[in-house]
Amino acid sequence: MTAMDAARQALGEVFGYDDFRPGQEQVIAAILSGRDVMAVMPTGAGKSLCYQIPALVLPGVTLVVSPLISLMRDQVSALLQNGVRAAYLNSSLTPRQFMLALQNARNGVYKIIYVAPERLLTELFLDFACHAQIAQVVVDEAHCVSQWGQDFRPGYLQIEPFIKRLPVRPRLSAFTATATESVRRDIVRLLDLKAPYEISTGFDRPNLYFEVRRPKDRDAELLRFLAEHKGQSGIVYCGTRKGVEEVARMLRQEGIDAVGYHAGMPDEERRSAQEDFVADSVPVIVATNAFGMGIDKSNVSFVVHYNMPKDLESYYQEAGRAGRDGEEAVCCLLYQPADVRLNQFLIEHGQEESELDAQTQQVVAERAKERLKQMTFYATGSGCLRTRILGYFGERPAKVYCGNCSGCLSAAQERDVTREAGQIVSGVMAMQGRYGKALTARVLVGARDERIRARGLDKLSAFGCLRAEGETNVRAMIDELIVDEVLEVTEGEYPLLRPGPRAREALLGDEPIRMTLPTADTPIETGRRVTQKRQVDKALLVRLTALRRRIAEEQHVPPFIIFTNATLRDMADKRPRTRAAMLRVDGVGAGKLERYGDAFLREIEAYVGE
Ligand code: ADP
Ligand code: ZN
């Protein structure tokens, strides 16, 4: 078996995934072949797997240098859950715990050790490292080595001398989500990477839906947004501490379970706010930008910015905390012109106390103003939001319209849809009021869908009659027809679509019906949002989520460490009844099957049997 075969096997057996994500395979192959690596991958792309799989395949131990205690802890508990022997060495350990861990490390107990950069050159650690077989050294959040970035960490400068002290130079890889050219060059230079394999997988996060709203009343808009995302977990960023407190209070008054978080709060309160949010016991956290760095919660379904941040770097970083599990997530910016003025004020007055000389201060302020201008264009302009972000980061997107942002969805025009409305109504009649909006739309566009075939709906003459419109448009039309009382939906958990009081008029087509829809000639990839979201059995999903909560509480770990949302969805979708079938669920490997397989199988069994 080649090393790459072993890597593929580990992907399935240990981590429970079928395929590599973009870039992962190349990075793993490069590491396995003995090369140094410099990888730029956006948040959520799956950097960890890129070095964890080689760690399992290569003989010896892998050292991972990581900047944050919380990141290390989460990574290690996730690895242990998958049955991988791992540990961390940082200042959160007592001297006794530290010695014990080091003893184990000496005895070759661990495959992966996470270590804080400041530890590397300590006598104890050096002594261990010089006598161990080190397969590779990995530098996570590698941009911390560069003084160009905001996250400069002097300890990272000890990595290169540490490597020099080792009797045999291990392969060295660096990972970051920060892309600017100067930072990349710094990483290669300061870590002294040798002819590294360089890869940048691109900054797009296709599962994020970007949205800008420009409301008069932000509170009302926020409440509307949260109502649309009921039951989901998310972050609301505010520009100031005062804002955090006011918004959190407002939400609680409106009956929404929300906690506040900012650097001015007492440590204890802040810690418990964070823990409650990560543990899924409070769904919404209202925070300043102090919240997020180092918080490894993958199932964040939305990030709302109550205020516009100062630049697109900050915005994309904060918004990017949504959807790290690869599930569909929403990033919504609430914009008001006052945001621009506040940021201008901060730029003009923020530098006063800094140690920079007057001239440098002015240059810095000019650059900050330029960045603010770009941010403002994003908030106020038209066109595709994704294109604008990616363009800002120097990437040329493949499409002008991504079809998955509010900019694209509003690239629209009013037109006559009298004929289409008639076709929709006759389709709904043919389906005899037994199906919901989503399935009806899929029938009308002639989607290939198991449920449609199974119910014989592909035999209807309405099947595929609106294929040219695309699913998003057809759904939009159905929504408008409901508002116009041409169609109506029943009450209840699974609302069904049926003809409304004005269905007959629409069918006869006496009166023209006009709607605003994306124009046919804009190259919009329709239906993307809709098709991405698999229809799952909500009731089963709720039960699986509750089981995950119980287990997480018992074990004192965040729920997503047990299984991610994506895994639970896939499980609800596949409904495994045997251990072998359970292994086919995305994100279930041998380790997790061993630990939780039976509990989840029993839950599914009980559900199906009811
Ligand atoms: P990053 O460090 O790049 O922000 P992570 O390594 O935390 O991202 O991975 C993000 C999520 O993607 C995790 O939940 C991880 O389990 C999942 N993931 C990683 N690789 C794959 C893959 N090949 N298939 C499916 N999910 C994956
Ligand atoms: Zn777009």
Side-chain angles (χ1 to χ4, degrees):
M1 190 161 71
T2 68
M4 217 40 219
D5 290 338
R8 248 175 242 114
Q9 193 176 339
L11 176 73
E13 286 183 1
V14 179
F15 296 97
Y17 296 129
D18 295 332
D19 300 301
F20 287 114
R21 292 236 185 104
Q24 286 180 331
E25 194 166 11
Q26 294 91 311
V27 171
I28 290 171
I31 294 179
L32 291 178
S33 77
R35 282 188 74 172
D36 282 4
V37 166
M38 158 86 221
V40 182
M41 297 165 95
T43 308
K47 288 188 275 296
S48 331
L49 232 60
C50 293
Y51 59 81
Q52 288 171 351
I53 287 184
L56 296 179
V57 173
L58 294 168
V61 61
T62 288
L63 300 181
V64 185
V65 183
S66 173
L68 286 160
I69 291 175
S70 59
L71 276 181
M72 295 190 214
R73 202 179 36 221
D74 283 349
Q75 292 277 0
V76 168
S77 47
L79 283 168
L80 294 174
Q81 298 283 342
N82 281 322
V84 179
R85 287 167 287 133
Y88 53 80
L89 298 174
N90 60 36
S91 57
S92 75
L93 301 182
T94 62
R96 217 186 97 76
Q97 287 172 321
F98 185 83
M99 292 309 291
L100 206 67
L102 208 56
Q103 188 58 45
N104 283 337
R106 281 207 183 84
N107 293 334
V109 169
Y110 307 123
K111 285 305 285 179
I112 304 184
I113 298 176
Y114 285 79
V115 56
E118 290 78 12
R119 287 276 161 188
L120 294 172
L121 292 177
T122 60
E123 208 171 311
L124 270 175
F125 189 79
L126 259 181
D127 180 62
F128 152 70
C130 288
H131 293 96
Q133 185 190 4
I134 298 179
Q136 57 167 343
V137 173
V138 177
V139 184
D140 201 8
E141 311 287 351
H143 58 278
C144 291
V145 78
S146 167
Q147 307 196 30
W148 286 98
Q150 291 181 347
D151 301 324
F152 174 57
R153 171 90 168 252
Y156 266 60
L157 295 173
Q158 300 179 11
I159 299 172
E160 190 267 340
F162 167 75
I163 302 280
K164 289 258 151 66
R165 295 284 293 270
L166 298 175
V168 183
R169 185 183 185 278
R171 25 170 109 57
L172 182 58
S173 53
F175 291 85
T176 178
T178 308
T180 63
E181 186 57 24
S182 45
V183 172
R184 274 175 83 159
R185 301 278 54 94
D186 261 9
I187 293 174
V188 173
R189 183 171 59 85
L190 295 168
L191 295 178
D192 195 19
L193 294 172
K194 306 285 187 210
Y197 171 74
E198 294 197 41
I199 183 170
S200 173
T201 59
F203 271 66
D204 191 16
R205 300 274 312 277
N207 62 319
L208 299 186
Y209 174 78
F210 289 95
E211 179 174 19
V212 174
R213 300 189 187 187
R214 300 184 268 260
K216 284 216 173 60
D217 180 343
R218 287 201 235 241
D219 286 352
E221 195 62 43
L222 178 60
L223 288 170
R224 197 169 310 138
F225 180 93
L226 293 176
E228 288 161 19
H229 295 86
K230 229 178 151 139
Q232 298 180 350
S233 175
I235 309 172
V236 178
Y237 279 112
C238 294
T240 60
R241 295 176 184 183
K242 186 159 158 270
V244 166
E245 284 174 5
E246 285 169 3
V247 171
R249 190 174 326 122
M250 184 276 293
L251 291 180
R252 281 192 297 263
Q253 274 164 7
E254 296 291 331
I256 291 165
D257 198 5
V259 284
Y261 181 105
H262 62 69
M265 278 161 51
D267 280 355
E268 190 45 44
E269 233 174 273
R270 214 172 62 203
R271 185 147 7 105
S272 84
Q274 173 179 329
E275 280 171 6
D276 287 348
F277 178 65
V278 172
D280 279 345
S281 50
V282 172
V284 178
I285 192 161
V286 185
T288 59
N289 60 9
F291 178 78
M293 176 67 171
I295 286 150
D296 195 7
K297 176 174 163 75
S298 65
N299 62 334
V300 174
S301 299
F302 60 81
V303 171
V304 178
H305 278 76
Y306 189 86
N307 300 103
M308 182 182 80
K310 63 185 195 312
D311 51 37
L312 273 166
E313 283 94 338
S314 315
Y315 181 67
Y316 202 48
Q317 185 177 46
E318 287 156 22
R321 295 188 177 126
R324 289 187 58 178
D325 53 6
E327 287 284 283
E328 229 178 81
V330 176
C331 308
C332 176
L333 169 65
L334 303 183
Y335 168 83
Q336 280 183 349
D339 292 331
V340 182
R341 292 193 293 274
L342 176 69
N343 277 303
Q344 269 165 349
F345 178 86
L346 292 176
I347 291 170
E348 275 152 25
H349 299 271
Q351 300 290 330
E352 274 166 5
E353 288 145 47
S354 79
E355 288 152 17
L356 303 174
D357 61 79
Q359 203 186 347
T360 317
Q361 265 185 42
Q362 203 187 338
V363 174
V364 170
E366 285 309 315
R367 287 203 195 129
K369 275 186 195 158
E370 181 54 35
R371 289 200 299 267
L372 175 61
K373 205 153 98 190
Q374 297 296 330
M375 180 75 237
T376 312
F377 281 159
Y378 175 87
T380 57
S382 60
C384 177
L385 296 172
R386 178 172 269 104
T387 301
R388 202 171 272 281
I389 294 177
L390 296 178
Y392 182 79
F393 290 113
E395 226 176 83
R396 200 194 315 231
K399 292 184 294 252
V400 183
Y401 289 93
C402 74
N404 195 26
C405 75
S406 62
C408 279
L409 297 191
S410 67
Q413 231 171 39
E414 199 191 84
R415 50 182 255 239
D416 187 315
V417 291
T418 316
R419 192 177 55 88
E420 288 80 352
Q423 287 172 308
I424 292 175
V425 174
S426 53
V428 169
M429 289 171 128
M431 291 172 73
Q432 301 178 322
R434 283 174 23 209
Y435 303 96
K437 261 188 331 200
L439 194 71
T440 306
R442 290 180 67 71
V443 168
L444 294 169
V445 298
R448 289 165 184 275
D449 188 322
E450 205 28 67
R451 291 168 306 153
I452 291 175
R453 233 170 309 153
R455 294 170 174 81
L457 297 173
D458 55 348
K459 304 289 184 308
L460 298 178
S461 66
F463 181 75
C465 68
L466 291 174
R467 184 170 278 128
E469 287 292 338
E471 206 172 329
T472 310
N473 270 10
V474 172
R475 280 176 72 127
M477 287 189 220
I478 291 175
D479 283 335
E480 293 239 355
L481 291 174
I482 293 170
V483 174
D484 290 340
E485 299 186 324
V486 170
L487 298 175
E488 59 183 18
V489 283
T490 59
E491 302 279 340
E493 202 187 345
Y494 298 107
L496 304 173
L497 196 58
R498 61 187 186 201
R502 299 184 55 202
R504 218 180 115 76
E505 288 165 52
L507 207 52
L508 296 174
D510 291 344
E511 216 179 296
I513 300 178
R514 300 185 66 81
M515 286 181 192
T516 303
L517 294 164
T519 45
D521 55 2
T522 41
I524 290 179
E525 194 185 299
T526 46
R528 177 149 159 205
R529 283 206 78 193
V530 188
T531 45
Q532 264 187 9
K533 199 166 218 148
R534 269 174 293 166
Q535 289 290 324
V536 293
D537 182 336
K538 285 228 185 67
L540 177 56
L541 190 59
V542 165
R543 288 182 61 154
L544 298 178
T545 310
L547 175 60
R548 177 179 68 173
R549 261 287 285 286
R550 287 199 298 277
I551 298 176
E553 275 165 13
E554 265 166 41
Q555 305 198 357
H556 305 289
V557 295
F560 65 85
I561 298 246
I562 313 269
F563 285 131
T564 62
N565 284 0
T567 296
L568 289 192
R569 263 180 177 283
D570 199 42
M571 199 181 292
D573 202 41
K574 294 197 174 123
R575 287 197 189 182
R577 308 286 292 272
T578 62
R579 302 186 105 214
M582 184 59 99
L583 266 179
R584 284 194 290 275
V585 172
D586 251 8
V588 182
K592 292 206 176 163
L593 177 71
E594 209 40 60
R595 283 188 177 68
Y596 313 119
D598 290 339
F600 280 85
L601 282 171
R602 273 197 300 276
E603 193 69 30
I604 294 168
E605 201 62 41
Y607 176 78
V608 175
E610 269 167 17

